[in-house]
Structure formats: C-alpha cells, structure tokens
C-alpha cells in the first residue's frame, strides 16, 4: 500500500490556484512497520519516488535515520548493511514541500550492538516519535545497530508507547516531561543516548533477525526510569509508594521469541524489590545475560509487579547485544568452540583444550547447573528433569550456546 504525504508551503510567490498541490509517493510498502520489507545484507535496494503537482523542476534530498544525506536524485540506490530508514524531502520550484519515509529491515551478517548513539539527537533531549509521519498513531520503526524497535506516537494526545530514545543527564522527576530520564543520567558504558520503553498497550518486540536459524543476543544493560522510580519511592496520585510491609517489587521480564512469535525462553531482572530484608533498587546500569534464551528472532519486554495496575510501566535499556563485561578471561578466543548434545544427555565441549565453564539454564532463565572443565570435555545432564534447557559454554573470549530438550 502506497501512502501519500502532502505539505503545503506557508507562502509562495505563486498562489496555490496556479499549481496543483505537491504530492509524493514512494515505491516501498510501510503499511505496517511491524512487518516491513526484509532484504539480506549486501543487497542493493532501490526506492523510487513519484512526484506530482507543484511546478518543476523538483529538488530531492534523501536522509538516513542516522542523519546522513544519502542521495539527491528522484531514485535512491544504496547497499543495505543494517536496518535503516530513508526519508525523502521534495521541494517544487513554486516552494511547496512534501516528505515520505521508507523503512528497511536488513538481515545483517552479524549482530551489531544497538547503542542508540548511532541516532541523531540534540543534547538533553528525547525522541518520542517521528513528527513527520503521515499517520502519527500508526506503528513506526526505530533502528539502532542491527535491530528494529517498534514505536507508536500520538502527538495530539501527548502519548507514545513501545520504544523511544533520549540522552538526558538529570535523574529527577517532577512531571511527564521528565519521563525520558533514568536513574543514572545518561547511557550505559559512559555513552550519551539510551533507549526508553513504555510497555503498557505497546508492541515491545525488538526485531533481531529474520534469518531461519535466529541469532544469539549476548545481553544488554537495563536501569530504572525516573517516573517509575519516583512513584515507587514516593508515591503519586495514581501509584501508592512501595512498602516493605507489602513486599512490593517491580521486575522486568525479557522473552525470547522465534519467527512465529512463540516464546522460547525467559529472563527476569529485578529492578525494585522490597520483598526481602535487604531492599534492592537498581540505580546503575545493570548487565543482563540473555544467552539462556538461545538463538532468537525477537526479544519482547514485559513486567511483573506487586502494584502492576498502578506502577508506571517503564524501563530504560542500552547496549542491546553487548557481551558480558565479566565473562572475558586472559586466554585467547577460541573461534572453533562448539557445544553439542548426545541423545544420552551428554553435553560435549569441542574446539578448546583450555579451561572452560559451562552453565545450564531452564527455559525460564533460571540457572540449573554450572561446571568448570579442567581436562574433561563432557558433562552429564542425567540429573535434570524432563524439560527444555539452554547450555552456555565460555572458553577465553569465545562463547557457544546450545538449546536442548530432555
């Protein structure tokens, strides 16, 4: 379905009665940005425009979602490397302007960490959604690294959901305009930009790949968002303050999905916990190991809370796809490292003669067993009950995972 986006010039030397209104269409289908065209990395994509109305000649300017000018002709041809958006701005000789955007999902050859720092953003600001989209309540897409994040933006209601990004350094909260702040002030790993997710009434899927075999996402960083943290600590007109007496908690749930959107694993992260004697409140960037999910096509964020109906449904995320900063050791990476499973329930570590560690997780992300290999290359899983598991082996800087069933 092609969409038409029309803008009228505020003032021109020529009245609009002397020229037809400028219209622009792109030969690219973005009717539903949760199911956009997919191309393989290295493919040359061609996006053609069709301009009518206004007065010729027309000027063309193509800008990528990363803020780079990538073309000045009516047709754009680029080699696809990572998922990207391309916006065309057209101006007619009589001063009328029109714009439209094409979103492209690219199956990248390898995972590229989503840092949000590859997206343009003025200092101390946020991006709730694209002000130029024709249908601002429709699903749009944000791209960072090799991943796609769903965004839904309704400026007439001052509302958005799904994913946005920001770079605000203040951590306080005094009103809805502060909803993009986090408990740290800035991104993970001393970066500027970070992602913000509002999970209520939202499509919170993060598209990792459409490749048949899926892709392992090593991990990501999470922290508390300022609105939620203020509500949990102090209470507000809608959410009562969290208390030790009520054993209140707020937990992030990360699901791994296959291409059919079936859940293949779950990892849970406690962000605020008054259920134990020692309270836990995340106020720094916390690394979350996602390898127990195994190979996935998408990630999906959700939440659990003792005050589910009241607590603001936010979380801040960054560096999606980052390696575990504590997993590396001094020995060299072993590129041939593999993990295999025999029918008898024996896991075999292949491709290294050095030290390794092997951890087995159940499908819900709970650690079930851990082994350190010094000489031995096989371990038995006979003690595990029937179920689905994910095994992760680390040898030096090399990591291999295996999903298996008993």
């Amino acid at each position: 379905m092609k969409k038409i986006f029309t803008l009228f010039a505020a003032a021109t030397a020529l009245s609009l009665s002397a020229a037809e209104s400028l219209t622009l269409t792109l030969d690219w289908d973005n009717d539903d940005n949760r199911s956009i065209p997919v191309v393989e990395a290295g493919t040359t994509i061609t996006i053609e425009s069709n301009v009518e109305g206004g007065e010729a000649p027309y000027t063309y300017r193509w800008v990528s979602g990363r803020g780079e000018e990538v073309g000045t002709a009516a047709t754009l041809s680029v080699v696809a490397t990572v998922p990207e958006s391309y916006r065309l701005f057209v101006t007619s000789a009589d001063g009328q302007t029109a714009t439209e955007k094409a979103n492209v999902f690219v199956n990248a050859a390898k995972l590229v960490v989503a840092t949000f720092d590859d997206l343009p953003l003025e200092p101390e600001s946020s991006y709730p959604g694209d002000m130029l989209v024709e249908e601002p309540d429709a699903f749009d897409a944000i791209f960072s690294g090799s991943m796609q994040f769903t965004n839904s933006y309704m400026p007439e209601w001052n509302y958005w959901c799904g994913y946005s990004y920001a770079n605000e350094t203040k951590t306080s909260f005094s009103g809805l305009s502060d909803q993009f702040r986090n408990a740290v002030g800035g991104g993970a790993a001393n970066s500027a930009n970070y992602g913000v997710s509002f999970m209520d009434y939202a499509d919170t899927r993060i598209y990792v790949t459409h490749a048949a075999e899926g892709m392992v996402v090593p991990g990501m960083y999470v922290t508390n968002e300022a609105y939620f943290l203020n509500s949990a600590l102090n209470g507000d007109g809608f959410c009562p303050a969290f208390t030790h007496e009520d054993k209140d908690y707020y937990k992030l749930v990360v699901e791994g999905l296959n291409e059919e959107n079936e859940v293949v694993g779950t990892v849970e992260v406690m962000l605020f916990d008054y259920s134990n004697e020692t309270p836990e409140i995340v106020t720094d960037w916390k690394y979350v190991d996602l390898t127990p999910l195994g190979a996935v096509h998408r990630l999906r964020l959700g939440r659990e809370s003792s005050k589910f109906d009241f607590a603001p449904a936010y979380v801040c995320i960054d560096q999606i796809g980052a390696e575990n900063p504590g997993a590396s050791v001094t020995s060299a990476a072993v590129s041939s490292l593999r993990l295999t499973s025999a029918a008898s329930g024996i896991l075999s570590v292949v491709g290294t003669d050095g030290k390794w560690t092997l951890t087995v997780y159940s499908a819900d992300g709970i650690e079930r067993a851990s082994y350190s290999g010094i000489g031995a290359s096989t371990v038995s899983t006979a003690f595990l009950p029937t179920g689905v598991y994910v095994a992760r082996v680390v040898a030096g800087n090399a990591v291999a995972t295996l999903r298996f069933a008993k």
Side-chain angles (χ1 to χ4, degrees):
M1 172 181 175
K2 297 179 181 177
K3 299 187 291 185
I4 298 176
F5 193 105
T6 307
L7 293 176
F8 297 91
T12 65
L14 200 62
S15 69
L16 291 181
S17 61
E20 295 183 1
S21 300
L22 183 66
T23 63
L24 166 65
T25 60
L26 298 181
D27 186 22
W28 198 265
D29 187 358
N30 283 159
D31 186 51
D32 184 343
N33 280 297
R34 296 167 296 177
S35 181
I36 64 179
V38 178
V39 299
E40 297 301 320
T43 302
T44 298
I45 61 171
T46 301
I47 305 173
E48 298 180 354
S49 65
N50 179 43
V51 180
E52 298 179 355
E55 286 192 349
Y58 307 111
T59 59
Y60 302 86
R61 183 171 178 260
W62 295 87
V63 179
S64 74
R66 299 163 207 270
E68 302 169 339
E69 183 175 297
V70 292
T72 56
T75 299
L76 177 69
S77 291
V78 292
V79 176
T81 56
V82 292
E84 185 62 279
S85 64
Y86 300 97
R87 179 173 289 284
L88 174 60
F89 297 90
V90 176
T91 303
S92 61
D94 60 337
Q96 296 188 66
T97 59
T99 184
E100 181 60 290
K101 180 172 68 173
N103 290 327
V104 184
F105 191 92
V106 179
N107 269 333
K110 62 179 182 179
L111 186 147
V112 180
V113 177
T115 66
F116 301 99
D117 285 312
D118 50 3
L119 300 173
L121 193 63
E122 292 295 320
E124 300 295 341
S125 64
S126 60
Y127 177 92
D130 193 339
M131 291 292 295
L132 298 177
V133 294
E134 177 188 358
E135 299 172 1
D137 59 343
F139 288 99
D140 196 14
I142 295 171
F143 303 105
S144 180
S146 57
M147 302 182 195
Q148 172 191 334
F149 302 80
T150 303
N151 168 269
S152 186
Y153 181 44
M154 289 166 270
E156 69 273 24
W157 298 100
N158 192 28
Y159 175 83
W160 67 277
C161 64
Y163 295 94
S164 63
Y165 58 97
N167 58 16
E168 300 192 33
T169 58
K170 293 183 178 179
T171 61
S172 59
F173 179 84
S174 58
L176 202 57
S177 61
D178 299 332
Q179 65 180 303
F180 300 98
R181 297 177 179 178
N182 65 46
V184 183
N190 297 315
S191 64
N193 294 356
Y194 53 87
V196 184
S197 179
F198 179 59
M199 296 173 280
D200 269 358
Y201 317 111
D203 182 352
T204 59
R205 287 176 293 180
I206 301 172
Y207 290 70
V208 176
T209 182
H210 289 274
E213 64 275 17
M215 189 173 286
V216 175
V217 182
M220 67 178 186
Y221 288 84
V222 303
T223 194
N224 275 309
E225 178 270 347
Y227 185 5
F228 161 75
L229 198 56
N230 179 75
S231 296
L233 289 172
N234 306 312
D236 55 38
F238 186 73
C239 179
F242 283 30
T243 67
H244 295 278
E245 292 76 15
D246 291 339
K247 298 185 182 300
D248 286 317
Y249 70 93
Y250 185 91
K251 180 192 301 181
L252 176 68
V253 180
V254 185
E255 295 176 322
L257 308 177
N258 61 19
E259 186 72 342
E260 287 72 42
N261 290 311
E262 299 167 332
V263 178
V264 298
T266 303
V267 170
E268 298 181 347
V269 189
M270 190 65 77
L271 295 176
F272 197 112
D273 189 10
Y274 275 168
S275 63
N276 297 316
E277 287 187 17
T278 303
E280 179 183 358
I281 302 174
V282 174
T283 56
D284 202 348
W285 284 105
K286 180 176 183 177
Y287 184 80
V288 181
D289 183 2
L290 297 178
T291 57
L293 300 177
V296 301
H297 291 84
R298 302 176 185 113
L299 303 172
R300 182 169 61 196
L301 303 191
R303 64 187 176 112
E304 293 180 9
S305 177
S306 56
K307 286 185 166 54
F308 185 90
D309 293 332
F310 306 104
Y314 290 88
V315 68
C316 290
I317 60 175
D318 204 357
Q319 311 290 321
I320 299 89
E323 294 286 349
N324 188 337
S328 298
V329 295
T330 55
S331 57
V334 185
S335 59
S336 60
L337 182 69
R338 289 186 296 117
L339 186 60
T340 61
S341 177
S344 59
I346 300 296
L347 297 175
S348 299
V349 181
V350 182
T352 177
D353 295 325
K355 296 180 180 180
W356 49 263
T357 60
L358 173 64
T359 308
V360 179
Y361 303 86
S362 56
D364 57 6
I366 298 175
E367 182 178 318
R368 297 299 184 185
S370 181
Y371 307 87
S372 294
I374 305 177
S377 60
T378 62
V379 296
S380 173
T381 62
F383 71 94
L384 293 171
T386 301
V388 177
Y389 299 90
V390 175
R392 179 179 188 264
V393 63
V394 178
N397 293 324
V399 180
T401 61
L402 176 71
R403 186 177 179 85
F404 66 98
K406 285 196 63 200

